[in-house]
Structure formats: C-alpha cells, structure tokens
Amino acid sequence: MDTVATLRAFNRTWGRRSGVLDESFLGTGRAYGSARLLFEIEKPVTVRDLRTRLGLDSGYVSRLLRGLQREGLVDVSPDPEDRRRRVVSLTAAGRRARGDLDDRSEGLARGLLAELSPRLADELGQVLGRADLLMRAATVTFEVVDPAGPDARTAVGAYLDELDRRFPSGFDAHEADHDADAMGGATGRFLVARSDGDVVACGGVQTLADGVGEIKRMWVHPDWRGAGLARRMLGRLEQEVAGLGHRVVRLDTNDTLVEALSLYRSAGYREIERYNDNPYARHWFEKRLTGSRAR
Amino acid sequence: MDTVATLRAFNRTWGRRSGVLDESFLGTGRAYGSARLLFEIEKPVTVRDLRTRLGLDSGYVSRLLRGLQREGLVDVSPDPEDRRRRVVSLTAAGRRARGDLDDRSEGLARGLLAELSPRLADELGQVLGRADLLMRAATVTFEVVDPAGPDARTAVGAYLDELDRRFPSGFDAHEADHDADAMGGATGRFLVARSDGDVVACGGVQTLADGVGEIKRMWVHPDWRGAGLARRMLGRLEQEVAGLGHRVVRLDTNDTLVEALSLYRSAGYREIERYNDNPYARHWFEKRLTGSRAR
DNA sequence: TCCATTCTCTGACTTTAGTCAGAGACCTTG
DNA sequence: CAAGGTCTCTGACTAAAGTCAGAGAATGGA
C-alpha cells in the first residue's frame, strides 16, 4: 500500500475510533466547543490568543466564554497592559471541570490501551509519538518576522544558550543585537517556523556583499529535531537569499555542531576558505544558487 | 512521556490537523454527513447497515439518503429478500461524486506528505500503518455467534483453506460440518472478533468430557496478525471454557503452525499425551484454568 | 390468521457550531 | 487631540447534525 493510501486509511480508522477518545465531551454534558476552550485555558490567556489558536470567529469565542463565565468556570477581566484586550483565566471550579475532562479523556485512552498487551501498547505509544512529531512537522508554517520582535528574540535566545552549552569554551552572545539589525530591513530576512503558535525553528539571512548572502542563526527546537525541519528551513532561507537578488550563499559553523555539518554537506554546500573573522567558526561553506526551487 | 499521554497528545495533534485531510467535504460543498454516507456505499447496502456502521439515527439517515437521491447520486429500492428493508446503491453520478471526494482527499494527503522529505514521508507511512493496525486491533469486539451462521462459516472456511495451503499434505475439510454442531448448543461456543463489521478472527470451544473443554478452529485473518489478537482470542475462549463449567482446556496442533505452538507455550499450556485421533495433530496441550481473569 | 416485531420514513423539534455586521471602548501615531 | 486602527462584544442570522415520536408496510412465529 502506498503512503497516501496508508495516510487515508489511518484517517478513517482514527475518525471512526476517535469517539473512543473524544466522547469525553459528550459524557460530561459539555459541548465540544466549550470543552475545547476549557482545555486551551491552561494559564491566563487573552481572548485573541484563544481565537487564533483555535481558529474561531471572535463572536463565537465571545459567546462560548460568556457561557463558561455563567457557569462560573472562567474569569474574564481586562488586560492591564492593553485594556482593549481581555484576559481569561480558570476559576477553581473551572480547574475542577477541566480536571474532570482530563480524567475522563485519560480513562478512555487507558481503556483503549488496556485492550493491548503491554508490549503492543508500548509499541503503539512509540509509533504514535513518532507520527505525532512527523505530522506536526509536516504542518509547520514558515513566516518572515521582525528579527527584533519577541518571537525572533526568544528563538535566537534559545539558540545562543545552546551554543553556550555545547561549545567547549562557551559562547559570548554580546554581538546578538547588532546581528538583528543586519537581518531586518531591505538586505536581510528572519524566518520562524511555527506550530500551533509556538516557534519551533528559526533562521536568518543577511547580505555580505553584492550577490552574496549569508545564513545565520539557524536553529531547531530540540524537541523537534529529526523531523526534517532543519533541511526545510535551510531551503526556505536559500529562497530568501535568492529573493534578495544574490546568487551565492555562505555560512559558517563549528565542529561541535555535527548535525549541521552533515546537513550542509548533503544540501550541496562545499567547504571554502575562511571568509569572516568569527572566532567560533571552524568551517566555512558556500553554495551557488540555481533557479531550481528548494524544498 | 507515558503511553497514555502520548495517545492523548497524538489525538490532539490529529484533531487539529485533520482539517488538512477532512476539509475535502467542505471543498465540494457537500456536508460532512452526506459525504460520509457516500463513502460508505461502496457496493449496494441496506439502510440498516449504513445506520449501524455509522451509528446514526434512522430518521437522520433516511433524510440524508433522500437528499442524495434528489441529487441523483443513489438509488434506493426494496430488498427482494425482505421487503421491509431497502437497498441503497450508487448511480453513475454517485460514483463520480464519490470519485471526486476520493481525489480531493488523496490530494490533501499528498499535499501533507509533500512537506516531508521522501524518507520521512515514507517513515510516516510506516508508523501510521502500524498504528492503524494496532488501533483497529485494540477496538475489535468479541461476539458469541452461531457456529453454523454465515460469519462463522466464512471464518472457518478461511481457516480450513489456510490449513490446506500450509500443511505439506493439504487438509481434508470434510468433517467441518460435524464440528459446527459441537461448538453450538449448551456444550460449546463459537466466537468471532469483529472490526467495522468484518470478521477478523474466530475460535470455538467444545466439551470433551465433564470438566474438560477443547479449543478448536482458532484463526486470525492474515492482515490482522502481529497485533495480539490470537492471544486475546485464546483468553476469551478460555473464559468460555470456564463458563461452561470446565476446569481444564485442551487443544491440539500441527508442527507447521509455528506461531500457534509458541503462543500456546507462552500462554501456560503444557504438552501432554495424544488425547484424540486427529490425524493432523502432532502436539497436544493442556492448561488448568484458575480463577484469574485472562486478558 | 393474528400479534408482536422489524424496518424505513416523515414531521416537528433541538442543539451545536458557526458567520456577519456593526457598536463601543481603547490604543497609537501624526 | 483627531484619525485610524485594534480588540471584544452583541444581536441577528444560517446550516448542519441530530433526536424523538409515531405511521405504515412487511415479516415471523404461535
């Protein structure tokens, strides 16, 4: 059976069986919509966030919240930082209701697994865990953002922390702010990959010289590695470099980042002479961009 | 992360992403309900079957069918065998509409996979295929049926065919009818495991002597092997033996069926002397039933 | 042949899940 | 401080997805 057919078959199986897992909502007399909302309010969150995370109409969310409020499950109050926004948080009763849904959902999952031997249940966990990562990775969205904005700063922060941990002599991040400028404006770009609103990977492009771009700050969240995100990010960044009018991409890296080295090599980069004075770099790569569309 | 948590996490991921796969229905201006119905009518089927397969109210199905009929997608006519029942079948236009949905759904699956490298897409197919089997196996239902009924006959037929193929000297099935009697009535039982209406495994129990039951005709559909069904069927059959008031189960088997041999050994059966004159048997097993509940 | 049961259908109803067009409060920028 | 934009809410609406209570035909068994 080919992969497309497998995916579709699984979709049908899961759809038919999902009652086994989802009926939690019906069991509690709570409609799917408001239960979904309840699950999404872990900690205080703005109405807008809820809306975008669940992809719902503002009127609809407002109405659902009104319902939960009437039941005494949530508090809605203006956000002190911007009083147009409103912040929703669970009350004690709300936490209890959420816990009930949780328990019920957990019970259903447990019941399903109980039908399998421990070995097979464990195997199901393994394959679903892997499928989960791959599905999430396949549905990531790439987005150009301001390198000085909060998403970029958080991602780059995580990247720099990791360098500091992994480089034998640590990493001194004092130059990070200067970089942000170079990756914004007309001669640079900064990309993030987002899944359910979370930033899971990032990467930047800046101009070295006319016709020559450089890729920097490429990073994938540790939980998201092994799902092809780095290669896709690299391809997107190359597209951005081409979009800036360059024909050549360069980048540098350190020996410690072994997965990066093999990625660059397999993506068609060839090693060149030192082209900058980055004290942490040990390898310098270059790739000539062709018209072909990168993955 | 424990298995239950993985299952729940996957359920959420899939739920959120399933739009990527299911929106096929919205794309065609066809409501989810009637599209589902259209998919279920592969070959002519009774209204009742549709209802039970999809778990819907009779009035609702009737109304949906009326809609499809108005669009000229299905024919509904009385079942000649029982004119209370009505049989639904696709018209040429119905097959075309179904094909459209199929294509669209396939396109969406393809689009999702296109985001992954071929290697990872293939891996996703592998893990989802395995998850599919395990999920279906976990949600199988066991049912006592008449050993002379159509489900039992079909399953036993497949079993005997397999013996005929696998035994070096073939298998002569002339005694099958006699057996059916012994597994019905007050001194025997016949079980099938069913998934979405299909019989995927079977097994029977008969009485050898007071206090001694025998398990026979245990079979799992080839596509469903490796998912623990045989072990579960064995456990259920042992429960039936106990339910008939016996304390001891016996069974026989042939060397060719290696997976059966190791199943019996690992399930606590010990080999005993020949207790019957079955010319195909090479091994005879016995297990003393305890009060403990078998899986 | 009668009676209980089965099967499908219809009409009347409800709930859920949304969409859409403003209104009003608030924020940012020139 | 005016203008334009953002954020949430309300009211009015719609479509989909069912549910429920029979009615009417057909069947199976006593």
Side-chain angles (χ1 to χ4, degrees):
Chain A
M1 184 148 71
D2 71 303
T3 309
V4 169
T6 305
L7 192 65
R8 292 183 63 200
F10 180 80
N11 192 34
R12 299 195 72 183
T13 297
W14 192 265
R16 288 190 179 173
R17 303 298 186 290
S18 70
V20 183
L21 293 160
D22 277 348
E23 230 125 52
S24 38
F25 307 119
L26 290 112
T28 55
R30 186 170 309 288
Y32 180 69
S34 59
R36 221 165 25 136
L37 218 56
L38 216 47
F39 266 117
E40 213 61 38
I41 312 168
E42 174 103 46
K43 50 192 171 208
V45 65
T46 64
V47 174
R48 161 154 271 275
D49 274 6
L50 282 178
R51 215 161 56 215
T52 53
R53 277 216 297 247
L54 295 172
L56 299 173
D57 174 85
S58 79
Y60 184 39
V61 169
S62 182
R63 214 174 310 281
L64 288 175
L65 283 174
R66 220 50 54 230
L68 293 176
Q69 207 174 14
R70 255 200 313 281
E71 291 186 74
L73 303 179
V74 300
D75 277 333
V76 184
S77 56
D79 182 345
E81 290 190 4
D82 178 344
R83 293 194 0 258
R84 289 170 302 186
R85 281 205 284 260
R86 311 199 65 196
V87 179
V88 188
S89 54
L90 290 180
T91 62
R95 259 185 296 281
R96 236 174 293 124
R98 195 169 179 282
D100 281 358
L101 287 177
D102 246 15
D103 290 350
R104 197 171 284 265
S105 166
E106 175 155 343
L108 291 168
R110 211 178 280 289
L112 189 127
L113 290 171
E115 297 297 322
L116 295 172
S117 71
R119 216 193 80 243
L120 291 172
D122 193 63
E123 191 192 346
L124 181 58
Q126 301 285 327
V127 294
L128 283 185
R130 185 70 182 148
D132 193 19
L133 177 61
L134 291 173
M135 278 291 298
R136 282 185 286 122
T139 51
V140 136
T141 56
F142 290 85
E143 210 175 306
V144 175
V145 299
D146 177 3
D151 287 332
R153 297 189 84 89
T154 311
V156 170
Y159 166 72
L160 297 175
D161 282 354
E162 182 168 348
L163 292 191
D164 194 36
R165 275 196 313 278
R166 291 182 63 175
F167 284 0
S169 54
F171 183 80
D172 177 13
H174 80 278
E175 48 155 345
D177 281 341
H178 161 269
D179 278 5
D181 294 344
M183 294 186 289
T187 59
R189 290 280 185 284
F190 196 81
L191 290 185
V192 296
R194 219 186 275 279
S195 177
D196 292 324
D198 297 331
V199 171
V200 301
C202 70
V205 164
Q206 66 184 23
T207 294
L208 283 186
D210 203 39
V212 183
E214 184 182 26
I215 287 175
K216 300 194 64 170
R217 306 275 180 259
M218 210 175 88
W219 172 80
V220 174
H221 189 291
D223 292 349
W224 288 74
R225 291 178 194 171
L229 279 183
R231 187 174 297 270
R232 283 168 71 199
M233 178 59 84
L234 185 61
R236 299 279 175 153
L237 292 170
E238 289 169 0
Q239 282 177 29
E240 295 297 333
V241 172
L244 290 171
H246 304 311
R247 308 302 312 266
V248 170
V249 207
R250 288 186 180 160
L251 51 82
D252 65 29
T253 190
N254 185 286
D255 294 299
T256 314
L257 308 174
V258 283
E259 53 306 10
L261 279 173
S262 69
L263 168 63
Y264 300 144
R265 293 207 172 94
S266 84
Y269 284 77
R270 60 183 186 80
E271 203 151 354
I272 56 172
E273 290 294 292
R274 171 187 278 274
Y275 67 81
N276 62 14
D277 56 1
N278 178 352
Y280 298 99
R282 285 290 172 278
H283 299 272
W284 294 263
F285 287 96
E286 182 176 290
K287 178 179 182 177
R288 187 156 297 273
L289 296 176
T290 63
S292 77
R293 211 120 267 272
R295 162 165 298 281
Chain B
M1 186 150 69
D2 71 304
T3 309
V4 168
T6 305
L7 193 65
R8 293 183 63 199
F10 180 80
N11 193 35
R12 299 195 72 182
T13 297
W14 192 266
R16 288 189 179 174
R17 304 297 185 292
S18 71
V20 184
L21 294 161
D22 277 348
E23 230 125 52
S24 38
F25 306 118
L26 289 110
T28 55
R30 186 170 307 290
Y32 180 69
S34 59
R36 224 168 18 139
L37 217 57
L38 216 48
F39 265 117
E40 214 61 39
I41 311 167
E42 174 103 46
K43 51 193 170 208
V45 65
T46 64
V47 173
R48 159 155 272 273
D49 274 5
L50 283 178
R51 217 161 54 214
T52 54
R53 276 216 295 246
L54 295 172
L56 299 173
D57 174 85
S58 78
Y60 184 40
V61 168
S62 181
R63 213 174 310 281
L64 288 175
L65 283 175
R66 222 49 54 229
L68 292 175
Q69 206 174 14
R70 256 199 313 280
E71 291 185 74
L73 303 180
V74 300
D75 278 332
V76 183
S77 56
D79 182 347
E81 291 190 3
D82 178 342
R83 297 202 347 264
R84 289 170 303 185
R85 282 205 283 260
R86 311 200 64 196
V87 179
V88 188
S89 54
L90 290 180
T91 63
R95 259 186 296 281
R96 234 175 296 124
R98 197 170 178 281
D100 281 357
L101 289 177
D102 247 13
D103 290 350
R104 198 170 284 265
S105 166
E106 176 157 342
L108 291 169
R110 211 178 282 288
L112 189 128
L113 291 171
E115 297 296 322
L116 295 173
S117 71
R119 215 194 81 244
L120 290 173
D122 193 63
E123 192 193 344
L124 181 58
Q126 301 285 329
V127 294
L128 283 185
R130 186 69 183 148
D132 193 19
L133 177 61
L134 291 173
M135 279 291 298
R136 283 185 285 119
T139 51
V140 136
T141 56
F142 290 86
E143 210 175 306
V144 176
V145 298
D146 178 2
D151 287 333
R153 298 189 83 89
T154 312
V156 170
Y159 166 72
L160 297 174
D161 283 355
E162 182 168 348
L163 291 191
D164 194 37
R165 275 196 314 277
R166 291 182 65 175
F167 284 1
S169 54
F171 182 80
D172 178 13
H174 80 279
E175 47 154 345
D177 281 341
H178 161 270
D179 276 6
D181 294 345
M183 293 186 288
T187 59
R189 290 281 185 283
F190 196 81
L191 289 185
V192 296
R194 219 185 274 279
S195 177
D196 291 323
D198 298 332
V199 172
V200 301
C202 70
V205 165
Q206 66 185 22
T207 292
L208 283 185
D210 204 39
V212 184
E214 184 181 26
I215 287 176
K216 301 194 63 170
R217 308 275 179 258
M218 209 174 87
W219 172 81
V220 174
H221 189 291
D223 292 350
W224 288 74
R225 291 179 193 171
L229 279 183
R231 187 174 297 270
R232 282 167 71 199
M233 179 58 86
L234 185 61
R236 299 279 175 154
L237 292 171
E238 289 170 359
Q239 282 177 28
E240 295 297 333
V241 172
L244 290 171
H246 304 312
R247 308 300 313 262
V248 170
V249 206
R250 288 185 180 161
L251 50 82
D252 64 29
T253 191
N254 186 287
D255 293 301
T256 313
L257 308 174
V258 284
E259 59 295 18
L261 279 172
S262 69
L263 169 62
Y264 299 144
R265 291 206 173 96
S266 83
Y269 284 76
R270 60 184 186 80
E271 204 150 354
I272 56 172
E273 291 293 293
R274 172 188 278 274
Y275 66 80
N276 62 13
D277 56 1
N278 177 352
Y280 298 98
R282 285 290 171 280
H283 298 272
W284 294 263
F285 286 96
E286 182 176 290
K287 178 178 181 178
R288 189 156 296 272
L289 296 176
T290 63
S292 78
R293 210 121 268 271
R295 162 164 299 280

